[in-house]
Amino acid sequence: MTSSSVLDLAPVVPVVVLEDAADAVPLARALVAGGLPAIEVTLRTAAALDAIRAIAAEVPDAVVGAGTVISARNVADTVAAGARFLVSPGWTDALLDAMKGSGLPFLPGVSTTSEVVALLERGVTEMKFFPAEAAGGTAYLKALSAPLPQARFCPTGGISAASAPSYLALPNVGCVGGSWMVPGDAVAARDWARVERLAAGAAALRG
């Protein structure tokens, strides 16, 4: 990883849900070709660990990470599979300790000011804001920037190509997470050219 920060790899981190690990490598290649090297594979399916393993082994230009990390076991399994960063929808002390202990960059999830302050108290300044749209969106993040300027976020959850630029324009947002460049119908049809086009559009988004 060229940066120790997940937030600086690309403006958009694709959030990928894969039902078939055989789709992992061509999907990752399409995303990388489109300019999105950081790829979050969520642990929502039985294929997730195999998908991470395949991307780590066969797509050297991809920086594959694990999403929906909610336990120390998840941390251990994804590190063993070759994940290069970790993302959680929320955090506990035990989960935070496991993610810190992995040695990998990680983004623990927050949705309240108290959770942000608690992470800052633990020395963590980079976090996922989830579920972004439901938890207050850009207005909430803008309100946090004055009292907590040291916190930086990757908002994820309900963000689209249309709303992403307004998030990226905020000073405390390093990148956004989204799935609009990996639509389910394109993945099901294995239309990797479409994924690459959508990824290129996302990679061009700047605040």
Side-chain angles (χ1 to χ4, degrees), residues 44-55:
R44 300 179 197 174
T45 67
L49 287 175
D50 284 338
I52 290 170
R53 200 172 288 115
I55 295 169

Side-chain angles (χ1 to χ4, degrees), residues 44 88-90 109-112 115 128-135 154-158:
R44 300 179 197 174
S88 69
V110 296
S111 60
T112 69
E115 290 170 328
K128 169 178 174 171
F129 179 58
F130 176 83
E133 287 288 288
C154 174
T156 304

